[in-house]
């Protein structure tokens, strides 16, 4: 689409709204919809700042959809809290569980079902590959905790195992459940004395720490690119 032609704006606006109509039917929460909207807005803002686009076709989109985030359901552990929870872990398995939630941004059910063969060990691009995820196939970059992952695999290799990083001999599936992930995270939070609004944080709150940190980092990166472009005297 030609984002430089202002006459195309009504058509492009309608096309984008049709996409978000589809997303709204497929996604379960306003928060999920707003995450997609934020990513798309950042993309178009970049086009305006650096690529010569004259308009953002999703500007004001939320005035149409009126998505809202319930702050009670969107609480997260802060950086000090996540650090304390990680330090409360006294096994490699628990360290890996905290990293998977807070440093890799995995959902509790994704942590429970992790297998060694999902990891692509690449010095320049360590990552986790999902054939199927909540919103389709995808990859997650592993920037921290690779050494803990390797140690966990080494420990399990010595025990003999089926590939799950959090195995459970009591479970017919061969791995722990999302509920167990949540219980272990809450136990570590209790051990560390970490609370959120006076309550023990859940595994989902640990994941939201990654999400909040990721969004803040993306904003900083885009702001930094704008400063670089200004210094270069070029869009």
């Amino acid at each position: 689409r030609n984002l430089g032609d202002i006459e195309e704006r009504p058509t492009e606006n309608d096309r984008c709204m049709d996409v978000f109509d589809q997303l709204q039917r497929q996604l379960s929460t306003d928060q999920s919809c707003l995450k997609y909207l934020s990513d798309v807005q950042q993309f178009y803002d970049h086009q305006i700042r650096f690529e010569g686009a004259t308009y953002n076709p999703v500007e004001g989109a939320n005035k149409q959809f009126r998505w809202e985030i319930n702050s009670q359901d969107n609480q997260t552990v802060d950086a000090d809290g996540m650090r304390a929870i990680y330090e409360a872990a006294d096994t490699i398995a628990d360290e890996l569980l905290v990293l998977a939630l807070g440093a890799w941004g995995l959902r509790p059910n994704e942590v429970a079902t992790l297998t060694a063969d999902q990891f692509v060990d690449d010095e320049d691009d360590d990552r986790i590959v999902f054939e199927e995820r909540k919103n389709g196939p995808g990859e997650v970059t592993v920037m921290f905790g690779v050494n803990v992952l390797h140690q966990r695999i080494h420990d399990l290799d010595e025990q003999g195992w089926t590939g799950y990083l959090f195995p459970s001999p009591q479970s017919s599936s061969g791995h722990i459940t999302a509920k167990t992930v949540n219980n272990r995270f809450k136990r570590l939070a209790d051990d560390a004395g970490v609370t959120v609004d006076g309550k023990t944080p859940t595994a989902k709150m640990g994941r939201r720490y990654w999400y909040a940190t990721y969004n803040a980092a993306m904003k900083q990166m885009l702001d930094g690119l704008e400063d670089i472009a200004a210094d270069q005297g070029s869009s």
Side-chain angles (χ1 to χ4, degrees):
R1 296 289 179 170
N2 184 6
L3 295 175
D5 186 353
I6 197 66
E7 293 183 359
E8 291 290 324
R9 183 167 188 166
T11 301
E12 189 67 3
N13 285 349
D14 289 343
R15 187 177 73 91
C16 289
M17 294 308 102
D18 286 343
V19 171
F20 280 105
D21 275 334
Q22 292 290 331
L23 282 174
Q24 183 169 239
R25 285 191 283 270
Q26 295 177 25
L27 301 177
S28 58
T29 65
D30 283 8
Q31 181 183 343
S32 297
C33 294
L34 285 168
K35 168 64 170 66
Y36 278 96
L37 178 59
S38 174
D39 289 345
V40 173
Q41 284 177 327
Q42 288 182 11
F43 168 79
Y44 282 120
D45 285 344
H46 177 85
Q47 298 301 307
I48 291 172
R49 290 175 180 173
F50 307 117
E51 305 296 338
T54 58
Y55 64 91
N56 182 339
V58 297
E59 183 178 0
N62 203 34
K63 292 181 180 179
Q64 174 175 331
F65 293 101
R66 299 186 183 279
W67 293 317
E68 295 180 351
I69 291 180
N70 185 327
S71 60
Q72 185 68 27
D73 293 334
N74 198 41
Q75 293 174 312
T76 182
V77 185
D78 63 17
D80 289 339
M82 285 300 296
R83 186 176 295 110
I85 291 171
Y86 182 76
E87 291 174 352
D90 57 5
T91 67
I92 290 294
D94 282 347
E95 287 184 13
L96 187 67
L97 184 144
V98 178
L99 285 167
L101 293 166
W104 306 342
L106 303 189
R107 299 175 178 88
N109 66 303
E110 293 172 339
V111 177
T113 59
L114 269 182
T115 60
D117 60 9
Q118 286 180 259
F119 286 84
V120 176
D121 199 353
D122 186 323
E123 184 176 348
D124 298 319
D125 185 21
D126 293 315
R127 60 194 185 276
I128 309 168
V129 178
F130 292 90
E131 291 185 3
E132 187 60 40
R133 225 178 169 200
K134 181 178 179 181
N135 300 316
E139 296 183 353
V140 173
T141 299
V142 179
M143 299 179 66
F144 307 97
V146 175
N147 57 327
V148 177
L149 168 64
H150 288 167
Q151 183 61 53
R152 177 62 172 161
I153 292 174
H154 173 76
D155 292 346
L156 289 168
D157 276 339
E158 291 189 337
Q159 299 172 21
W161 61 310
T162 59
Y164 289 113
L165 293 174
F166 297 97
S168 172
Q170 291 80 31
S171 172
S172 59
S173 67
H175 58 77
I176 63 174
T177 65
K179 182 178 180 180
T180 300
V181 173
N182 189 48
N183 289 341
R184 290 186 184 180
F185 184 84
K186 292 176 70 174
R187 173 180 56 79
L188 292 170
D190 282 335
D191 291 345
V194 174
T195 60
V196 175
D197 197 23
K199 298 179 181 179
T200 302
T202 64
K204 287 184 177 180
M205 291 182 184
R207 179 181 185 264
R208 289 191 198 116
Y209 165 76
W210 168 86
Y211 178 75
T213 304
Y214 172 82
N215 277 348
M218 287 295 294
K219 183 178 185 304
Q220 287 181 339
M221 183 186 73
L222 291 172
D223 289 346
L225 287 174
E226 188 172 9
D227 291 341
I228 292 170
D231 288 341
Q232 294 293 323
S234 168
S235 63

